[in-house]
Amino acid sequence: MTRMIFEEAIDLAIADAMAADERVLLLGLDVPMLRAGLYARFGARRVLAAPISEGAYLTAAVGAAMAGLRPVVEIMMVDFITVALDALLNHAAKLEAFTHGRWRCPLVVRSACGAGYGDGGQHGQALWGLLASIPGLGVVVPSTPDDAYGLTASALAHDGPVVVLEHKLLTKNWLEFVGSGGRPGLSFDVPAAGHEGEVRRAPVPLGRAACRRAGDDVTLVSLGVSVHRALAAAALLGAEGISCEVLDLRSVRPLDVDAVVASARRTGRVLVVDEDYRQFGLSGEIAALIAEHGVSARFARVCTDDTIPFARHLEEAALPSVGRIVMAVRRLLAERARATRSASAPCAVETAP
Amino acid sequence: MSDLDREGLYRSLRRIHAFEEAVRSLWNEGRISGEMHLCRGEEAVAAGVMAHHREGDAVSCDHRPHGQFVARGVPLVDVLAELLGDERGLCAGRGGHMHLFSRRHLIATTGIVGAPAPLGAGFALALMRLRPGAAAFAFGGDGAANQGLFLETLNLASAWRLPLLLVCKDNGWAVTTWSKDVSAGDPVARARAFGLVAEHVDGMDPLAVWHATDRLLAHVRAGRGPAYLHARCARLDGHFLGDRMVRAARDLHEGADMGRVVVQSATERRGGRARDRARALLRMGRQVVRLKRGLGGGNDPTRLPPGTLGLDAGARRRIDDEVAAEIGAAVRAATQEAA
Ligand SMILES: Cc1ncc(C[n+]2csc(CCOP(=O)(O)OP(=O)(O)O)c2C)c(N)n1
Ligand SMILES: [Mg+2]
């Protein structure tokens, strides 16, 4: 075990894969400087600086993966993946299905995500729900250095495309680049346990959630930075006699349905804490899965509702926070079971004229 | 052909410069959050191009937008308050430095590199229908010129004969990448290949920028199709304030962490051939040297040699004083609001 910071763990997983397999190469904007260690060790033939042409270089990486390489592609921030989304949505993710598994696309996309340092709504989105809605595309969101190594290693070993998202509040260098910029006295709400920790240098399987805290009254389902917010909230609520279970999904797609459903069945109450947008995404998916499994748990969610505002105090209020989680859990526990059927009139049928 | 207002051009240059220095202070004090891309080194491009802006024209900007906003005459207090995240800012504190918008002034910003070009094309399409003779200005960098959005716009704007002026502020860099290392072909030749009229200009010379823009806009406003202005300029503060590479270039201590990682990695077992590793180290060193050369005073387009623009020292001093008073008052008003 070695102690390291979050992004060192990802770099190490990539370095280990590059050392073990000549077919692994890294490409993206500014990688010779951003990943100076990899550049110095593997040289410009394996670490390729790209022009700001994400659509072209990500689709080219899909082609390269189809033709025998195992590219790791950096998209500086996940917000910018929009200009290259076609590569993932229509190509990387569909190859296996189109060929009935006869041709696969071993591609890893590494991208920084997340808000909490006041950079505005085009530089702080989570977007893992958007990406994970695509069949055939893996999406992982580690919350600790150990998982950062383990999930990246599994993504690299996987024969299909996987997006690895690193939250900027967990990565010292990103936060330094775009948050503090060397200004002393600026502080951000960085979860210490996620930012630096012991790394086992072992793969963590895709699609397996981790239970971070066991509890009986309510299940907090979370990922990324929000896991740490959920744990802090659970500690506060524990002092009030409310026992929270905290599940760290780690992987959005594949999703550990069994772990979520089993915990929901046991506690009967589920709060999803998700930094991604509230509607049409992960939190709704979890509610649907629980319902589909016949579990009638009470359900609530703390997510990002709207476009993330620039002003720091508004941004803070918009993101999942310990305060919002505590309030939501209290509300969930206060809620009495609703009647399953109401006596209101059936809907009025409207037919086309 | 527009009338050249030499005093106005000088004043515009100084206003942009003074505004950016005020922003620098506020950012250094920690009163502005997030990334801060000042346009120091590009003032002459913003001033020289925007001098031709007429009421009814539209402007789209990239992540380095302040110069255009100041030159456009957007109230400085509103912009500053926005940067401070204040409710009374241009966008009520919701947008921020990379998402400045003024509907009244038809000027917009995007943080997505390359996107100002097609947004500008859309502005041009609207202007063509609604206000013939008006033009859209789209500003971007040398890095953005490799973005699909930009390259597609060269064709789109030309095929639709849009009244669009694309301005490339070529400061040589895209973050830590020397753009020439990842770009093929000559930028002006690229634009001409798509049928745009295109010119290269010394973007450190406000007068040259003014004249080149004058020629290109005559073509655009006459409805003869889009134009492209390629202006070589400087990047005096690195990519953004607090740029780690700039700090490392100026002070070896700042680069010590990175240096350790690089040295350790370069000697790690299992990796590239020794020749590849040596070349990588050399290239990194070259980048830092190149960066260092580009920084600082010798490259400042706002320090004009005496006599440029035909203004005597007295006139310049008067304008400088007026600008300092204007910017000082704006900062006081904005920070009072923010308090
Ligand atoms: C689509 C997209 N990719 C990457 C980025 C990150 N990014 C912001 S500015 C920048 C460099 C832009 O270079 P250039 O266009 O030359 O402008 P400059 O910063 O030099 O003024 C990059 C890569 C982004 N904002 N959008
Ligand atoms: Mg540039």
Side-chain angles (χ1 to χ4, degrees), chain B residues 116-193:
Chain B
L119 284 173
F123 286 164
L125 179 63
L127 297 181
M128 190 160 74
R129 302 282 166 81
L130 303 176
R131 275 194 294 284
F137 301 56
F139 289 83
D142 43 294
N146 289 324
Q147 183 63 278
L149 287 165
F150 173 86
L151 291 163
E152 290 177 10
T153 301
L154 290 179
N155 180 61
L156 183 81
S158 197
W160 287 356
R161 287 173 74 104
L162 296 177
L164 174 67
L165 175 66
L166 292 162
V167 181
C168 177
K169 304 166 295 160
D170 179 2
N171 58 18
W173 292 93
V175 195
T176 72
T177 301
W178 183 243
S179 281
K180 282 217 172 84
D181 289 347
V182 292
S183 306
D186 170 66
V188 170
R190 283 187 188 182
R192 287 191 181 138

Coordinates of all heavy atoms in Angstrom, one line a residue, chain B residues 116-193:
Chain B
P116 N -17.6 30.3 -30.4 CA -17.9 31.6 -30.8 C -18.1 31.8 -32.3 O -18.9 32.6 -32.8 CB -16.7 32.5 -30.4 CG -16.2 31.7 -29.2 CD -16.4 30.3 -29.6
A117 N -17.4 30.9 -33.1 CA -17.5 31.1 -34.6 C -18.9 30.8 -35.1 O -19.5 31.6 -35.7 CB -16.4 30.2 -35.2
P118 N -19.5 29.6 -34.8 CA -20.8 29.3 -35.3 C -21.9 30.2 -34.6 O -22.9 30.5 -35.2 CB -21.0 27.8 -35.0 CG -20.0 27.4 -34.0 CD -18.8 28.3 -34.2
L119 N -21.7 30.5 -33.3 CA -22.6 31.5 -32.7 C -22.6 32.8 -33.5 O -23.7 33.4 -33.8 CB -22.3 31.7 -31.3 CG -22.6 30.6 -30.3 CD1 -22.0 31.0 -28.9 CD2 -24.1 30.4 -30.1
G120 N -21.4 33.2 -33.9 CA -21.3 34.5 -34.6 C -22.0 34.3 -36.0 O -22.6 35.2 -36.5
A121 N -21.8 33.1 -36.6 CA -22.5 32.8 -37.9 C -24.0 33.0 -37.7 O -24.7 33.5 -38.6 CB -22.1 31.5 -38.4
G122 N -24.5 32.5 -36.6 CA -25.9 32.6 -36.4 C -26.4 34.1 -36.2 O -27.4 34.5 -36.7
F123 N -25.5 34.8 -35.5 CA -25.8 36.3 -35.3 C -25.8 36.9 -36.7 O -26.7 37.7 -37.0 CB -24.7 36.9 -34.5 CG -24.7 36.7 -33.0 CD1 -23.6 36.9 -32.2 CD2 -25.8 36.2 -32.4 CE1 -23.6 36.7 -30.9 CE2 -25.9 35.9 -31.0 CZ -24.8 36.2 -30.3
A124 N -24.9 36.5 -37.6 CA -24.8 37.1 -38.9 C -26.0 36.7 -39.7 O -26.6 37.6 -40.5 CB -23.5 36.6 -39.6
L125 N -26.5 35.5 -39.6 CA -27.7 35.1 -40.3 C -28.9 36.0 -39.9 O -29.7 36.4 -40.8 CB -28.0 33.6 -40.0 CG -29.2 33.0 -40.7 CD1 -29.1 33.0 -42.2 CD2 -29.5 31.6 -40.1
A126 N -29.0 36.2 -38.6 CA -30.1 37.1 -38.1 C -30.0 38.5 -38.7 O -30.9 39.1 -39.1 CB -30.2 37.0 -36.6
L127 N -28.7 39.0 -38.6 CA -28.5 40.4 -39.0 C -28.8 40.6 -40.5 O -29.4 41.6 -40.9 CB -27.0 40.8 -38.7 CG -26.6 40.8 -37.3 CD1 -25.2 41.3 -37.1 CD2 -27.6 41.7 -36.4
M128 N -28.4 39.6 -41.3 CA -28.6 39.6 -42.8 C -30.1 39.8 -43.1 O -30.4 40.6 -44.0 CB -28.1 38.3 -43.3 CG -28.0 38.2 -44.8 SD -26.9 36.9 -45.4 CE -28.0 35.5 -45.1
R129 N -30.9 39.2 -42.3 CA -32.4 39.3 -42.5 C -32.9 40.6 -41.9 O -33.8 41.2 -42.4 CB -33.1 38.1 -41.9 CG -32.8 36.8 -42.4 CD -33.4 36.5 -43.7 NE -32.7 35.3 -44.3 CZ -33.0 34.1 -44.0 NH1 -34.0 33.8 -43.2 NH2 -32.4 33.1 -44.6
L130 N -32.5 40.9 -40.7 CA -33.1 41.9 -39.9 C -32.5 43.3 -40.1 O -33.2 44.3 -39.9 CB -33.0 41.6 -38.4 CG -33.6 40.2 -38.0 CD1 -33.4 39.9 -36.5 CD2 -35.1 40.2 -38.3
R131 N -31.2 43.4 -40.4 CA -30.5 44.7 -40.4 C -29.4 44.6 -41.5 O -28.3 44.6 -41.2 CB -29.9 45.0 -39.1 CG -30.8 45.7 -38.1 CD -30.1 46.3 -36.9 NE -29.4 45.3 -36.1 CZ -30.0 44.6 -35.2 NH1 -31.3 44.6 -35.0 NH2 -29.3 43.7 -34.4
P132 N -29.8 44.6 -42.8 CA -28.7 44.5 -43.8 C -27.7 45.7 -43.6 O -28.1 46.8 -43.2 CB -29.5 44.8 -45.1 CG -30.9 44.3 -44.8 CD -31.2 44.7 -43.3
G133 N -26.5 45.3 -43.8 CA -25.4 46.3 -43.5 C -24.7 46.1 -42.2 O -23.6 46.5 -42.0
A134 N -25.4 45.4 -41.3 CA -24.8 45.1 -40.0 C -23.9 43.9 -40.1 O -24.1 43.1 -41.0 CB -25.9 44.9 -38.9
A135 N -23.0 43.8 -39.2 CA -22.0 42.7 -39.2 C -21.9 42.0 -37.9 O -22.2 42.6 -36.8 CB -20.6 43.2 -39.6
A136 N -21.6 40.7 -37.9 CA -21.3 40.0 -36.7 C -19.8 39.8 -36.6 O -19.1 39.5 -37.6 CB -22.0 38.6 -36.7
F137 N -19.3 39.9 -35.4 CA -17.8 39.7 -35.1 C -17.7 38.5 -34.2 O -18.4 38.4 -33.2 CB -17.3 40.9 -34.3 CG -17.4 42.2 -34.9 CD1 -18.6 42.8 -35.3 CD2 -16.2 43.0 -35.1 CE1 -18.7 44.1 -35.9 CE2 -16.3 44.3 -35.6 CZ -17.5 44.8 -36.0
A138 N -16.9 37.5 -34.6 CA -16.7 36.4 -33.8 C -15.2 36.3 -33.4 O -14.3 36.2 -34.3 CB -17.1 35.1 -34.5
F139 N -14.9 36.3 -32.1 CA -13.5 36.2 -31.7 C -13.1 34.8 -31.2 O -13.9 34.2 -30.5 CB -13.3 37.2 -30.5 CG -13.3 38.7 -31.0 CD1 -14.6 39.3 -31.1 CD2 -12.2 39.4 -31.2 CE1 -14.6 40.6 -31.5 CE2 -12.2 40.7 -31.6 CZ -13.4 41.3 -31.8
G140 N -11.9 34.4 -31.5 CA -11.4 33.1 -31.0 C -9.9 33.1 -31.0 O -9.3 34.1 -31.4
G141 N -9.3 32.0 -30.5 CA -7.9 32.0 -30.4 C -7.3 31.0 -31.5 O -8.0 30.4 -32.3
D142 N -6.0 30.9 -31.5 CA -5.3 30.0 -32.4 C -5.6 28.6 -32.1 O -5.7 27.8 -33.0 CB -3.7 30.2 -32.3 CG -3.3 30.4 -30.8 OD1 -3.7 31.4 -30.2 OD2 -2.6 29.4 -30.3
G143 N -5.8 28.3 -30.8 CA -6.2 26.9 -30.5 C -7.5 26.6 -31.0 O -7.8 25.5 -31.5
A144 N -8.5 27.5 -30.9 CA -9.8 27.3 -31.4 C -9.9 27.0 -32.9 O -10.9 26.4 -33.4 CB -10.7 28.5 -31.0
A145 N -8.9 27.5 -33.6 CA -8.9 27.4 -35.1 C -8.8 25.9 -35.5 O -8.9 25.6 -36.7 CB -7.8 28.2 -35.7
N146 N -8.5 25.0 -34.6 CA -8.5 23.6 -34.9 C -9.8 22.8 -34.5 O -9.9 21.6 -34.7 CB -7.3 22.9 -34.2 CG -6.0 23.3 -34.8 OD1 -5.9 23.5 -36.1 ND2 -5.0 23.5 -34.0
Q147 N -10.7 23.6 -33.9 CA -11.9 23.0 -33.5 C -12.9 22.8 -34.7 O -13.0 23.7 -35.5 CB -12.6 23.9 -32.4 CG -13.9 23.4 -31.8 CD -13.6 22.1 -31.0 OE1 -13.6 21.0 -31.6 NE2 -13.5 22.2 -29.7
G148 N -13.5 21.6 -34.7 CA -14.5 21.3 -35.8 C -15.5 22.4 -36.0 O -15.8 22.9 -37.1
L149 N -16.0 22.9 -34.8 CA -17.0 24.0 -34.9 C -16.5 25.2 -35.7 O -17.3 25.8 -36.4 CB -17.3 24.5 -33.5 CG -18.1 23.5 -32.6 CD1 -18.0 24.0 -31.1 CD2 -19.6 23.5 -33.0
F150 N -15.2 25.5 -35.5 CA -14.7 26.7 -36.2 C -14.5 26.3 -37.7 O -14.9 27.1 -38.6 CB -13.3 27.1 -35.6 CG -12.6 28.1 -36.3 CD1 -12.9 29.5 -36.1 CD2 -11.6 27.8 -37.3 CE1 -12.2 30.4 -36.9 CE2 -11.0 28.8 -38.0 CZ -11.3 30.1 -37.8
L151 N -13.9 25.2 -37.9 CA -13.5 24.8 -39.3 C -14.8 24.7 -40.2 O -14.9 25.1 -41.3 CB -12.7 23.6 -39.4 CG -11.3 23.8 -38.8 CD1 -10.6 22.4 -38.4 CD2 -10.4 24.5 -39.8
E152 N -15.8 24.1 -39.6 CA -17.1 24.0 -40.3 C -17.7 25.3 -40.6 O -18.4 25.5 -41.6 CB -18.1 23.1 -39.5 CG -17.7 21.7 -39.4 CD -18.6 20.8 -38.5 OE1 -19.7 21.3 -38.1 OE2 -18.2 19.7 -38.3
T153 N -17.5 26.3 -39.6 CA -18.1 27.6 -39.8 C -17.4 28.3 -41.0 O -18.1 29.1 -41.7 CB -17.9 28.4 -38.5 OG1 -18.6 27.7 -37.5 CG2 -18.5 29.8 -38.7
L154 N -16.1 28.1 -41.3 CA -15.5 28.7 -42.4 C -16.3 28.3 -43.7 O -16.6 29.2 -44.5 CB -14.1 28.1 -42.6 CG -13.0 28.6 -41.6 CD1 -11.7 28.0 -41.9 CD2 -12.9 30.1 -41.6
N155 N -16.7 27.1 -43.8 CA -17.5 26.7 -45.0 C -18.9 27.2 -44.9 O -19.4 27.8 -45.9 CB -17.5 25.1 -45.0 CG -18.3 24.6 -46.2 OD1 -18.0 24.9 -47.4 ND2 -19.4 23.9 -46.0
L156 N -19.6 27.1 -43.8 CA -21.0 27.5 -43.6 C -21.1 29.0 -43.9 O -22.0 29.4 -44.7 CB -21.4 27.2 -42.2 CG -22.9 27.5 -41.9 CD1 -23.8 26.4 -42.4 CD2 -23.1 27.7 -40.4
A157 N -20.3 29.8 -43.3 CA -20.4 31.2 -43.5 C -20.2 31.6 -44.9 O -20.8 32.5 -45.4 CB -19.4 31.9 -42.6
S158 N -19.2 30.9 -45.6 CA -18.9 31.3 -47.0 C -20.1 30.8 -47.9 O -20.5 31.5 -48.8 CB -17.6 30.6 -47.3 OG -17.1 31.2 -48.5
A159 N -20.5 29.6 -47.6 CA -21.6 29.0 -48.5 C -22.9 29.9 -48.4 O -23.6 30.1 -49.4 CB -21.9 27.6 -48.1
W160 N -23.1 30.4 -47.2 CA -24.3 31.3 -47.0 C -24.0 32.8 -47.2 O -24.9 33.6 -46.9 CB -24.9 31.0 -45.6 CG -25.6 29.7 -45.5 CD1 -25.8 28.7 -46.4 CD2 -26.2 29.1 -44.2 NE1 -26.4 27.7 -45.9 CE2 -26.7 27.9 -44.6 CE3 -26.3 29.6 -42.9 CZ2 -27.3 27.1 -43.6 CZ3 -26.9 28.8 -42.0 CH2 -27.4 27.5 -42.3
R161 N -22.8 33.1 -47.5 CA -22.4 34.5 -47.7 C -22.8 35.3 -46.5 O -23.4 36.4 -46.6 CB -23.0 35.1 -49.0 CG -22.3 34.6 -50.2 CD -23.0 35.0 -51.5 NE -22.8 36.4 -51.8 CZ -21.9 36.9 -52.7 NH1 -21.3 36.0 -53.4 NH2 -21.8 38.1 -52.9
L162 N -22.5 34.9 -45.3 CA -22.9 35.6 -44.1 C -22.0 36.8 -43.8 O -20.8 36.8 -44.1 CB -22.8 34.6 -42.9 CG -23.7 33.4 -42.9 CD1 -23.5 32.5 -41.7 CD2 -25.2 33.8 -43.0
P163 N -22.7 37.8 -43.3 CA -21.9 39.1 -42.9 C -21.2 38.8 -41.6 O -21.6 39.4 -40.6 CB -23.0 40.1 -42.8 CG -24.2 39.4 -42.4 CD -24.1 38.0 -43.1
L164 N -20.1 38.0 -41.7 CA -19.4 37.6 -40.4 C -17.9 37.9 -40.6 O -17.3 37.6 -41.6 CB -19.6 36.1 -40.3 CG -18.8 35.4 -39.2 CD1 -19.3 35.9 -37.8 CD2 -18.9 33.9 -39.3
L165 N -17.4 38.5 -39.5 CA -15.9 38.7 -39.4 C -15.4 37.8 -38.3 O -15.7 38.0 -37.2 CB -15.6 40.2 -39.1 CG -14.1 40.5 -38.9 CD1 -13.3 40.3 -40.1 CD2 -13.8 41.9 -38.3
L166 N -14.6 36.8 -38.8 CA -13.9 35.9 -37.8 C -12.6 36.5 -37.4 O -11.8 36.8 -38.3 CB -13.7 34.6 -38.4 CG -15.0 33.8 -38.7 CD1 -14.7 32.6 -39.7 CD2 -15.6 33.2 -37.4
V167 N -12.4 36.7 -36.1 CA -11.1 37.3 -35.7 C -10.3 36.2 -34.9 O -10.8 35.7 -33.9 CB -11.3 38.5 -34.8 CG1 -10.0 39.1 -34.4 CG2 -12.2 39.6 -35.5
C168 N -9.1 35.9 -35.4 CA -8.3 34.9 -34.6 C -7.2 35.7 -33.9 O -6.4 36.4 -34.5 CB -7.6 33.9 -35.6 SG -6.5 32.8 -34.7
K169 N -7.3 35.7 -32.5 CA -6.3 36.3 -31.7 C -5.2 35.2 -31.5 O -5.4 34.4 -30.6 CB -6.9 36.8 -30.4 CG -8.1 37.7 -30.5 CD -8.8 37.8 -29.2 CE -9.4 36.5 -28.8 NZ -9.7 36.3 -27.4
D170 N -4.2 35.3 -32.3 CA -3.2 34.3 -32.2 C -2.1 34.6 -31.2 O -1.1 35.4 -31.6 CB -2.6 34.0 -33.6 CG -1.5 33.0 -33.7 OD1 -1.2 32.4 -32.6 OD2 -0.9 32.7 -34.7
N171 N -2.2 34.1 -30.0 CA -1.1 34.4 -29.0 C -0.1 33.3 -29.0 O 0.7 33.2 -28.1 CB -1.8 34.7 -27.6 CG -2.6 33.5 -27.2 OD1 -2.5 32.4 -27.7 ND2 -3.5 33.8 -26.2
G172 N -0.2 32.4 -29.9 CA 0.8 31.3 -30.0 C 0.4 30.0 -29.2 O 0.9 28.9 -29.5
W173 N -0.3 30.2 -28.1 CA -0.5 29.2 -27.2 C -2.0 28.7 -27.1 O -2.9 29.5 -27.2 CB -0.1 29.6 -25.8 CG 1.3 29.9 -25.6 CD1 2.0 31.0 -25.8 CD2 2.3 28.9 -25.2 NE1 3.3 30.9 -25.5 CE2 3.6 29.6 -25.2 CE3 2.3 27.5 -25.0 CZ2 4.8 28.9 -24.9 CZ3 3.5 26.9 -24.6 CH2 4.7 27.6 -24.6
A174 N -2.2 27.5 -26.7 CA -3.4 27.0 -26.2 C -3.1 26.2 -24.9 O -2.5 25.1 -24.9 CB -4.1 26.0 -27.2
V175 N -3.3 26.9 -23.8 CA -3.0 26.4 -22.5 C -1.5 26.2 -22.4 O -0.7 27.1 -22.5 CB -3.8 25.2 -22.0 CG1 -3.7 25.0 -20.5 CG2 -5.3 25.5 -22.3
T176 N -1.0 24.9 -22.4 CA 0.4 24.6 -22.3 C 0.9 24.1 -23.7 O 2.1 23.7 -23.8 CB 0.7 23.5 -21.3 OG1 0.3 22.2 -21.8 CG2 0.1 23.8 -20.0
T177 N 0.1 24.2 -24.7 CA 0.5 23.7 -26.0 C 0.9 24.8 -26.9 O 0.1 25.8 -27.0 CB -0.7 22.9 -26.6 OG1 -1.0 21.8 -25.7 CG2 -0.3 22.3 -28.0
W178 N 2.0 24.7 -27.6 CA 2.4 25.7 -28.6 C 1.6 25.3 -29.8 O 1.8 24.2 -30.4 CB 3.9 25.6 -28.8 CG 4.5 26.5 -29.8 CD1 5.1 26.2 -31.0 CD2 4.5 28.0 -29.7 NE1 5.5 27.4 -31.6 CE2 5.2 28.5 -30.8 CE3 4.1 28.9 -28.7 CZ2 5.4 29.8 -31.0 CZ3 4.3 30.2 -28.9 CH2 4.9 30.7 -30.1
S179 N 0.7 26.2 -30.3 CA -0.3 25.8 -31.3 C 0.4 25.2 -32.6 O -0.2 24.3 -33.2 CB -1.2 26.9 -31.6 OG -2.2 27.0 -30.6
K180 N 1.5 25.8 -32.9 CA 2.1 25.4 -34.2 C 2.5 23.9 -34.1 O 2.5 23.2 -35.2 CB 3.4 26.2 -34.5 CG 3.1 27.6 -35.0 CD 4.2 28.0 -36.0 CE 3.8 29.3 -36.7 NZ 4.2 30.5 -36.0
D181 N 2.7 23.4 -32.9 CA 3.1 22.0 -32.8 C 2.0 21.0 -33.2 O 2.2 19.8 -33.4 CB 3.5 21.6 -31.3 CG 4.9 22.3 -31.0 OD1 5.6 22.7 -31.9 OD2 5.3 22.3 -29.8
V182 N 0.7 21.5 -33.1 CA -0.4 20.6 -33.4 C -1.3 21.2 -34.5 O -2.5 20.8 -34.6 CB -1.2 20.4 -32.1 CG1 -0.5 19.6 -31.1 CG2 -1.7 21.7 -31.5
S183 N -0.8 22.1 -35.3 CA -1.6 22.7 -36.3 C -0.9 22.5 -37.7 O 0.3 22.7 -37.8 CB -1.8 24.2 -36.1 OG -2.3 24.5 -34.8
A184 N -1.8 22.3 -38.7 CA -1.2 22.1 -40.0 C -1.7 23.2 -40.9 O -2.8 23.7 -40.7 CB -1.7 20.7 -40.6
G185 N -0.9 23.6 -41.9 CA -1.3 24.6 -42.8 C -1.3 26.0 -42.3 O -1.1 26.2 -41.1
D186 N -1.4 27.0 -43.1 CA -1.3 28.4 -42.7 C -2.8 28.9 -42.5 O -3.7 28.6 -43.3 CB -0.7 29.2 -43.9 CG -0.9 30.7 -43.6 OD1 -0.3 31.2 -42.7 OD2 -1.6 31.3 -44.4
P187 N -3.0 29.5 -41.4 CA -4.4 29.9 -41.0 C -5.1 30.8 -42.0 O -6.3 30.6 -42.3 CB -4.3 30.6 -39.7 CG -2.8 30.6 -39.3 CD -2.0 29.9 -40.3
V188 N -4.3 31.7 -42.6 CA -4.9 32.6 -43.6 C -5.3 31.8 -44.8 O -6.3 32.0 -45.5 CB -4.0 33.8 -43.9 CG1 -4.5 34.6 -45.1 CG2 -3.9 34.7 -42.6
A189 N -4.4 30.9 -45.2 CA -4.6 30.1 -46.4 C -5.8 29.2 -46.2 O -6.6 28.9 -47.1 CB -3.4 29.3 -46.7
R190 N -6.0 28.7 -45.0 CA -7.1 27.9 -44.7 C -8.4 28.7 -45.0 O -9.4 28.2 -45.6 CB -7.2 27.5 -43.2 CG -6.2 26.4 -42.7 CD -6.6 26.1 -41.3 NE -5.7 25.2 -40.6 CZ -5.9 24.9 -39.4 NH1 -6.9 25.3 -38.7 NH2 -5.0 24.0 -38.8
A191 N -8.5 29.9 -44.4 CA -9.7 30.7 -44.6 C -9.9 31.0 -46.1 O -11.0 30.9 -46.6 CB -9.6 32.0 -43.8
R192 N -8.8 31.3 -46.8 CA -9.0 31.7 -48.2 C -9.5 30.5 -49.0 O -10.2 30.6 -50.0 CB -7.6 32.2 -48.8 CG -7.3 33.6 -48.3 CD -6.1 34.2 -49.0 NE -5.9 35.5 -48.5 CZ -4.7 36.0 -48.2 NH1 -3.6 35.3 -48.5 NH2 -4.6 37.2 -47.7
A193 N -9.0 29.3 -48.6 CA -9.4 28.1 -49.3 C -11.0 27.9 -49.3 O -11.5 27.3 -50.1 CB -8.7 26.8 -48.7

